[in-house]
Every structure is written in C-alpha cells, then in structure tokens.
C-alpha cells in the first residue's frame, strides 16, 4: 500500500498538532505543583509571626484545570506555534472540505482531558484563529466549512 503525498502531508500536520497538544497538556501537569508549593513557602517565610506560639497554615492545594482552561491552553499554544503550517495545509488541500479536515485530524489524534464536543470546538477554534492570524484570505472558507460541518 502506497501513501499519497496528500495523505502524508495530512499525517505530518496531524502529528505536529498532537505533539503540540501533548506539550501543552502533559508538561504543565507534570510541573504544575512545584511552582505553587514554592510560592506558598515564599509567602510563609516572608511574613514572620510576632507571637511566641508557632502557627502553621496549610499550603494552598493546586487546583485541577477545568476543561475550558485546558481547551484554551491547547488552542492558544497551537495557534501560536502552528498557524502558518495550518494555513499552508489549507492552501495545499483546497480540495478537501473543512469538515473532512477536522474529522481526519480528530480521528487520528485523541486529546487527553477533553470531551468529544470540546475536541470539536478545539479544532474549529484552531482553524478559525490560525486563519485570522496568518491567512485571512482563508477565513471565509473556514467559517463556511464550520457552519456546514
């Protein structure tokens, strides 16, 4: 079985998006608790208590990100890094409809921490914001395709 150039480019684009998503979702979760602990320690040591009895206050616990916060982070970082690539792919694959592009991307790369509805919203927002940033001439096509899909 031979893969066409179109399929190869789509897969490459999808791979790049997945790596970006993983970098945005996993890395902050791994390093997320360390800054909160350091800042609470700094606050405790900077404010000495004048009383003779030592009082301890529990350190604030880091809160888990909401699905909306995860979604916003993924969209922001993906658009920031890959908007030009998204625009190049839209120009190169003008024959594909926007719903087809979104379906292929979402089928290949599941997003950790997001529901199916949020994944669909993420894909639509990445396309919309990428075209607004890097290729405004593609914005009408993307907007029409999202309305269709």
């Amino acid at each position: 079985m031979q893969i066409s150039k179109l399929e190869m480019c789509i897969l490459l684009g999808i791979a790049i998006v997945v790596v970006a998503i993983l970098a945005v979702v996993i890395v902050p979760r791994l390093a997320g608790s360390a800054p909160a602990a350091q800042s609470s320690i700094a606050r405790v040591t900077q404010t000495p208590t004048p009383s003779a009895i030592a009082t301890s206050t529990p350190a604030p616990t880091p809160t888990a990100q909401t699905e909306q916060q995860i979604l916003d982070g993924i969209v922001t970082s993906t658009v920031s890094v890959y908007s030009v690539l998204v625009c190049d792919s839209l120009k190169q694959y003008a024959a594909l409809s926007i719903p087809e592009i979104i379906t292929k991307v979402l089928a290949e790369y599941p997003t950790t921490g997001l529901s199916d509805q949020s994944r669909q919203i993420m894909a639509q927002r990445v396309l919309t914001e990428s075209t607004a940033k890097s290729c405004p001439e593609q914005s009408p096509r993307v907007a029409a395709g999202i309305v269709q899909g």
Side-chain angles (χ1 to χ4, degrees), residues 78-88 129-130 133-135:
T78 303
V79 169
S80 167
V81 175
Y82 298 107
S83 65
V84 173
L85 179 64
V86 169
C87 289
D88 289 345
E129 292 179 26
S130 290
K133 179 180 178 182
S134 298
C135 53

Side-chain angles (χ1 to χ4, degrees), residues 31-107:
S33 61
Q38 290 172 351
S39 65
S40 66
I41 292 170
R43 273 184 266 141
V44 171
T45 58
Q46 291 174 356
T47 56
T49 57
S51 67
I53 301 173
T55 59
S56 66
T57 57
T61 57
T63 57
Q65 288 184 324
T66 65
E67 187 169 6
Q68 184 64 42
Q69 290 170 324
I70 294 170
L71 178 64
D72 291 342
I74 291 170
V75 170
T76 300
S77 64
T78 303
V79 169
S80 167
V81 175
Y82 298 107
S83 65
V84 173
L85 179 64
V86 169
C87 289
D88 289 345
S89 294
L90 285 170
K91 290 174 188 171
Q92 186 174 3
Y93 303 114
L96 290 177
S97 71
I98 298 301
E100 289 173 324
I101 293 170
I102 291 172
T103 301
K104 285 185 181 222
V105 169
L106 293 177

Side-chain angles (χ1 to χ4, degrees), residues 1-2 5 9-10 18 41 51 58 92 110 121 133 148:
M1 182 173 104
Q2 199 161 16
K5 188 175 182 180
C9 289
I10 290 173
V18 168
I41 292 170
S51 67
Q92 186 174 3
I121 291 168
K133 179 180 178 182
Q148 277 180 353

